[in-house]
Amino acid sequence: MVNRILFWAGFGVLTRAWQLGIEMRPFLTRRDLIAFPVFAAVGGSFGYWLQGVDERQTAVLAERKQAILEKRARRAQREAEGGEIAA
């Protein structure tokens, strides 16, 4: 979880640095220093949200997989019982 948040926080900082590079402005001026933590916080927030989405989707997929496996087991049992009667 922390690595995803740190990655996106770093991405936010790099986005700000890229923006300043495109504008050909200096990276570390007193006026612009507040923007780097803001971009890092926005990126970190996105990473935190993305982690929650990933966990919810993983849980849904695990439940769906379990339901499919149970359905296959019931089907195999039904076919095995039907095969014994027909034989």
Side-chain angles (χ1 to χ4, degrees):
M1 178 175 177
V2 173
N3 60 350
R4 187 171 287 180
I5 293 171
L6 288 177
F7 169 79
W8 285 104
F11 184 78
V13 169
L14 288 176
T15 302
R16 178 62 178 166
W18 187 26
Q19 177 187 19
L20 291 175
I22 289 173
E23 295 176 358
M24 294 185 192
R25 292 173 40 198
F27 291 114
L28 299 175
T29 61
R30 185 177 295 279
R31 192 185 82 189
D32 292 333
L33 280 180
I34 190 67
F36 284 103
V38 170
F39 274 71
V42 169
S45 298
F46 178 74
Y48 182 74
W49 173 79
L50 196 61
Q51 180 68 29
V53 169
D54 184 39
E55 290 174 357
R56 287 189 298 273
Q57 287 180 348
T58 302
V60 168
L61 288 174
E63 290 174 13
R64 183 67 182 145
K65 181 180 178 180
Q66 187 62 34
I68 289 171
L69 291 175
E70 290 172 359
K71 184 177 177 181
R72 286 180 184 171
R74 286 193 308 267
R75 181 178 178 191
Q77 182 182 12
R78 194 173 51 235
E79 288 177 355
E81 290 172 357
E84 291 174 0
I85 296 172

